[in-house]
Amino acid sequence: EVQLVESGGGLVKPGGSLRLSCAASGFTFSSYFMNWVRQVPGKGLEWVSCISSGSGYIYYADSMKGRFTISRDNAKNSLFLQMNSLRAEDTAVYYCARANSVGASEIDYWGQGTLVTVSS
Amino acid sequence: DIQMTQSPSTLSASVGDRVTITCRASQSIGIWLAWYQQKPGKAPNLLIKKASSLESGVPSRFSGSGSGTEFTLTISSLQPDDFATYYCQQYNSFPLIFGGGTEVEIK
């Protein structure tokens, strides 16, 4: 069974940093592109970033470029999102999400999400 | 970037109704469109990929159609479990873009 379990969310002050983690199991993690998608509570879905299976290709939404860094450790079946210079508008549930195929793709599995709250 | 416009934003319907949700892309995306269902407090669930390909395990009352810039999700006979929010997503190119969502509520 595919499982994606996020951790690392919490309360952080504006300008602060946070590192999210996603532990993957039930599939060959190293073979899949992976994404982060976020959702402001009560609002729609917003794609954040995608990383290729071997980390050779990385993509970001424009509003996160330069502040967020996606990475992965295939030996540990883990995906990460380093978030710096956080703003109030980054407050959201962050989902770890598996791409169904290489490149730009639909998302076939999602984690349960981790809530990031940016507030003073 | 490609923009995705979903309509309506809210839809009131009764059990047994036929429901149609529309998603329009600002430029052609071929068939590279997915539909998701999301219930409160839960992660989205993939229903349809490649505009019309039903994901395994998804009831056959769900169907998708369209190509290019206009797409539809149809629920042929709305069931109690279908009251949820639905999102389209383009994956023709990065950045991946979701539509604004359609909340299907009980009439």
Side-chain angles (χ1 to χ4, degrees):
Chain A
E1 178 195 5
V2 172
Q3 284 201 318
L4 299 169
V5 179
E6 303 93 338
S7 60
L11 177 63
V12 60
K13 289 182 167 52
S17 297
L18 211 56
R19 189 189 196 214
L20 305 184
S21 299
C22 171
S25 60
F27 65 103
T28 305
F29 179 73
S30 60
S31 296
Y32 285 85
F33 279 51
M34 295 295 296
N35 295 273
W36 288 98
V37 177
R38 71 182 185 182
Q39 185 171 36
V40 173
K43 302 296 184 183
L45 299 165
E46 180 181 25
W47 173 77
V48 172
S49 182
C50 178
I51 185 168
S52 64
S53 53
S55 303
Y57 296 92
I58 288 175
Y59 308 88
Y60 296 101
D62 284 347
S63 59
M64 290 79 166
K65 220 173 281 185
R67 298 191 301 125
F68 291 10
T69 302
I70 192 172
S71 62
R72 64 191 296 162
D73 184 340
N74 286 341
K76 295 183 178 178
N77 291 341
S78 295
L79 177 71
F80 306 102
L81 185 67
Q82 177 67 43
M83 304 186 294
N84 299 330
S85 303
L86 283 163
R87 309 163 180 165
E89 54 265 36
D90 295 317
T91 293
V93 173
Y94 285 74
Y95 292 102
C96 168
R98 191 183 86 166
N100 190 42
S101 58
V102 299
S105 171
E106 72 277 18
I107 291 169
D108 60 353
Y109 286 95
W110 302 68
Q112 85 287 352
T114 187
L115 177 63
V116 172
T117 303
V118 184
S119 174
S120 54
Chain B
D1 294 351
I2 298 169
Q3 307 301 317
M4 303 300 294
T5 304
Q6 247 182 276
S7 61
S9 54
T10 306
L11 189 160
S12 296
S14 301
V15 173
D17 284 353
R18 181 181 181 86
V19 164
T20 299
I21 299 168
T22 298
C23 185
R24 289 188 173 87
S26 60
Q27 63 190 74
S28 178
I29 59 170
I31 60 166
W32 308 113
L33 185 104
W35 290 98
Y36 302 87
Q37 178 192 67
Q38 186 179 33
K39 296 182 178 178
K42 301 291 187 184
N45 180 50
L46 177 64
L47 299 175
I48 288 170
K49 61 188 179 188
K50 291 184 186 176
S52 61
S53 180
L54 200 66
E55 189 70 356
S56 176
V58 174
S60 58
R61 63 181 179 273
F62 291 92
S63 64
S65 64
S67 65
T69 61
E70 187 147 342
F71 302 86
T72 59
L73 172 70
T74 300
I75 308 173
S76 60
S77 177
L78 199 64
Q79 298 302 300
D81 191 48
D82 302 338
F83 291 97
T85 301
Y86 294 84
Y87 295 93
C88 62
Q89 177 226 331
Q90 75 81 22
Y91 55 101
N92 179 70
S93 61
F94 287 106
L96 306 182
I97 302 292
F98 292 89
T102 297
E103 182 182 3
V104 177
E105 59 179 29
I106 300 172
K107 193 172 188 179

